Amino acid sequence: MSEVAELSETELDELRSAVRSFLDAKSPEEAVRKAMESEPRYDPQVWAQMAEQLRLPGLAIPEEYGGDGFGHVALGAVLEEMGRALVCSPFFATVVLAAQALLASGDADACARHLPGIAAGTTTAALAVAERTGAWDPVQITTKAVRRSEDAAGGWELTGTKSFVIDGTSADLLLVIARTTAGPSLFTVDRDAPGLTAEPMETLDATRAMARLRMDRTPALLAGADGAGGRLMARILDFAAVGLAAEQAGGAARCLESSTAYAGTRVQFGRLIGSFQAVKHKCADMLVQVELAQAAAREAARLADLEDAGFAAAAAAAHLTCSRAYLAAATENIHVHGGIGFTWEHPAHLYFRRAKSAQLLFGGPSASHERLLERLGI
């Protein structure tokens, strides 16, 4: 693995500030709501500005592939701000999932072919792993890959269906886990490949676009070793859990900010509601959850950059901790706001929907607990 460039705490704070200022200007609530109802589910102009002005897509991509070579700590700082703003963007699918999958595959040719475009923001990508149940379990991979006998270059054909593919309808490049005779393997598929169809899925969280992909003898290229998909899925999932945890921590922090701001201005029964003990307790409990989530997410990112032996367990623990914290904060945010918090017009429900869908993203709490026990060797 390439050496990771480090940022000082001051530089991390400056990165957070720059990203927050950008998202405050480019992704206010009205922009999020507009993106939720559009196709693609993001603003391409804002994505281009994110790449050109802030170079965010290339932040964690090694310099030899056109990126800036920073690691998961810097990436986590960006994801916290994105989670806080509830931004609709292909960043998570492209940078956290697809780019990390290519790097984890160890395939230098595939990385050289695709990562420069991702780093420049000219290529968006998606990772297709889960199938009918939504689980990231190698045993449940039924999409088949067979060699194209007429292709001397060693091409493959994929047949099967993938579900819950983040940004799967808009991605320029698809990375697909499919089963060969050697076992699950990673493949790259072009957006315009024959036999490939993508349809949007209606899910709880409209701010994160998901798709169902159907492949019928769709041409593909192997990325990495044939049959290495099982180990690759575990590694990708660890990186994805850390990225998602950072995003969840940012969303939870925004729920706390919203609750405390409302409690400090809303008057009921002649008093600010923030003066009532019950509301104080709710906000105090949210603060504890938010600080715990931030600590867990940031520590897991730090261990990822160090390639520490405890990283896998820390990643699973971070996902569990941040899932619980975000859902609790999003729920209490609605309670603190009272009746208005239950309305479609108020953004509180958008954070609740994101919190719940993020908790379920990689198989749900039971799968997350099993992963933690597995990573701990229990």
Side-chain angles (χ1 to χ4, degrees), residues 1-3 55-70 94-95 98-123 223-224:
M1 180 177 289
S2 301
E3 185 176 349
R55 292 180 56 85
L56 295 184
L59 184 71
I61 292 176
E63 292 181 0
E64 61 261 40
Y65 300 122
D68 292 326
F70 294 104
T94 300
V95 178
Q100 292 302 318
L102 282 169
L103 289 169
S105 74
D107 190 324
D109 290 338
C111 288
R113 188 162 54 249
H114 300 296
L115 287 180
I118 290 176
T122 56
T123 298

Side-chain angles (χ1 to χ4, degrees), residues 238-280:
D238 289 339
F239 289 139
V242 174
L244 184 62
E247 187 186 85
Q248 290 170 309
R254 183 66 185 92
C255 290
L256 174 61
E257 293 171 14
S258 179
S259 292
T260 54
Y262 187 74
T265 56
R266 171 63 170 164
V267 175
Q268 188 64 275
F269 305 112
R271 295 169 54 183
L272 289 172
I273 65 170
S275 67
F276 291 106
Q277 195 72 16
V279 176
K280 290 180 180 179

